Amino acid sequence: MLKIMREMKVVRKISQNRDDYIIIVGCGRLGSHLANLLSKARKSVVVIDKEEKAFNRLSEEFSGFTIEADAIEIDTLLKAKIDKADVVVTTTNDDNTNIMIAQIAKSIYGVPKVIARLFEPARQKIYEELEIETLCPTVLSALEFKNIIVGKEMED
Ligand code: AMP
């Protein structure tokens, strides 16, 4: 019994560590907020932005690293150690940039979890076919608005 409990503890520890190293591309309104939340959740976070002032959005408690550079450059991604990343989230304000970096992370560096911010809901299906996970804040916000207005039980 003790042995099983010890093994379970090890398994839990491994799964807890799985998403430990996270790269966030873009430190604007979305990326900085996410970086602050993940840092608070004790994850190792690296945030990339091409504008130095973007990092002002990070909280005083943010314990990760920042890289001021264009994330489209492979050198920037290598500097962020993309080959070691467990998660890459692309949150720039450009769908093409987000998708391109997501594809590089997934196909070239084999990052296990890649999520791209998508502005244009109509493009979501295309990226699903390319097996790129996307989150479309426009769609998520609309759903939340709908839930507040008519309740969650009504079908989407
Ligand atoms: P927001 O729309 O407020 O979430 O901001 C998007 C952020 O993405 C801004 O801070 C931009 O400077 C950043 N950004 C856009 N393109 C790139 C890029 N190619 N590399 C790094 N950061 C970028």
Side-chain angles (χ1 to χ4, degrees):
M1 184 67 176
L2 204 66
K3 192 172 170 240
I4 294 172
M5 280 173 73
R6 223 179 285 133
E7 277 168 6
M8 276 172 69
K9 226 173 166 181
V10 173
V11 170
R12 212 177 310 128
K13 206 163 174 219
I14 291 168
S15 58
Q16 270 176 354
N17 285 341
R18 263 192 53 206
D19 290 350
D20 263 351
Y21 182 47
I22 302 165
I23 298 175
I24 299 175
V25 180
C27 192
R29 290 158 292 186
L30 177 62
S32 62
H33 199 70
L34 179 62
N36 288 332
L37 290 173
L38 291 171
S39 174
K40 207 169 170 188
R42 304 177 146 281
K43 301 294 179 189
S44 301
V45 182
V46 170
V47 199
I48 305 171
D49 203 291
K50 58 183 180 181
E51 304 287 345
E52 191 192 0
K53 65 177 187 325
F55 301 118
N56 293 339
R57 293 179 186 269
L58 294 171
S59 69
E60 298 237 317
E61 294 76 34
F62 177 74
S63 61
F65 291 93
T66 58
I67 297 174
E68 184 200 336
D70 191 335
I72 284 184
E73 307 279 338
I74 287 288
D75 279 354
T76 305
L77 299 176
L78 291 175
K79 200 171 165 192
K81 297 198 166 46
I82 194 168
D83 53 320
K84 305 267 187 315
D86 299 298
V87 182
V88 169
V89 191
T90 56
T91 73
T92 78
N93 45 358
D94 180 72
D95 280 355
N96 292 332
T97 302
N98 290 339
I99 292 301
M100 196 179 102
I101 298 168
Q103 263 185 317
I104 292 171
K106 196 177 154 75
S107 329
I108 302 180
Y109 295 100
V111 177
K113 194 186 281 181
V114 180
I115 311 162
R117 174 195 204 179
L118 191 62
F119 283 91
E120 178 48 65
R123 295 171 83 179
Q124 203 158 21
K125 212 172 155 23
I126 303 167
Y127 298 122
E128 263 169 36
E129 280 160 18
L130 291 172
E131 292 182 13
I132 293 174
E133 197 175 333
T134 55
L135 275 186
C136 185
T138 317
V139 173
L140 295 179
S141 306
L143 280 175
E144 270 315 300
F145 276 112
K146 187 267 316 174
N147 288 342
I148 292 167
I149 298 163
V150 297
K152 275 191 179 167
E153 55 285 347
M154 219 194 97
E155 256 182 56
D156 301 329

